[in-house]
Amino acid sequence: LVAKDSEIAELKQQLHSMKQATGDEAKAYAQDLYNTEQEYKHTFEETVAENEMLQNELEETVGLEQELVAKDSEIAELKQQLHSMKQATGDEAKAYAQDLYNTEQEYKH
């Protein structure tokens, strides 16, 4: 009977040790899961911040492209106006020269 009690006590001790070891493993596993979750959370937050920065850069780039298109359009319009003015000035100069020539011919005649 004493041997059985001793065996029971030994088995209870082993069971207690196994429960404790299992509990320690479970705690370690839970801590590992928590740490992994925190890493993923941190990585996610960094990714969100980076995406926001890229979105801002994209919006800025689109705005600059729109400004560039507007300036190209303005340059084209100004070039057209300049061309028209040069043409008109040339035509006026030709007409003035023709008028001078005609006047000179009248005085000679």
Side-chain angles (χ1 to χ4, degrees), residues 10-97:
E10 173 71 23
L11 290 171
K12 282 184 177 180
Q13 179 58 39
Q14 287 178 11
L15 183 61
H16 176 73
S17 294
M18 286 184 77
K19 285 181 179 178
Q20 191 171 3
T22 303
D24 290 346
E25 287 177 13
K27 286 178 189 173
Y29 182 70
Q31 184 63 48
D32 196 34
L33 282 177
Y34 176 78
N35 292 344
T36 302
E37 179 186 8
Q38 293 305 307
E39 285 178 31
Y40 285 142
K41 184 177 178 184
H42 182 69
T43 301
F44 176 75
E45 289 169 353
E46 285 179 343
T47 302
V48 167
E50 189 174 320
N51 284 346
E52 288 174 355
M53 184 181 70
L54 290 172
Q55 181 66 34
N56 290 340
E57 287 178 6
L58 177 63
E59 290 172 3
E60 185 177 328
T61 301
V62 167
L64 291 173
E65 287 177 353
Q66 289 173 343
E67 277 185 51
L68 185 59
V69 167
K71 289 190 184 294
D72 284 345
S73 177
E74 185 178 355
I75 288 170
E77 183 180 329
L78 291 171
K79 283 181 176 179
Q80 180 58 42
Q81 288 178 10
L82 182 61
H83 176 73
S84 296
M85 287 182 77
K86 283 180 179 177
Q87 194 171 6
T89 303
D91 290 347
E92 287 175 12
K94 287 177 190 172
Y96 183 69

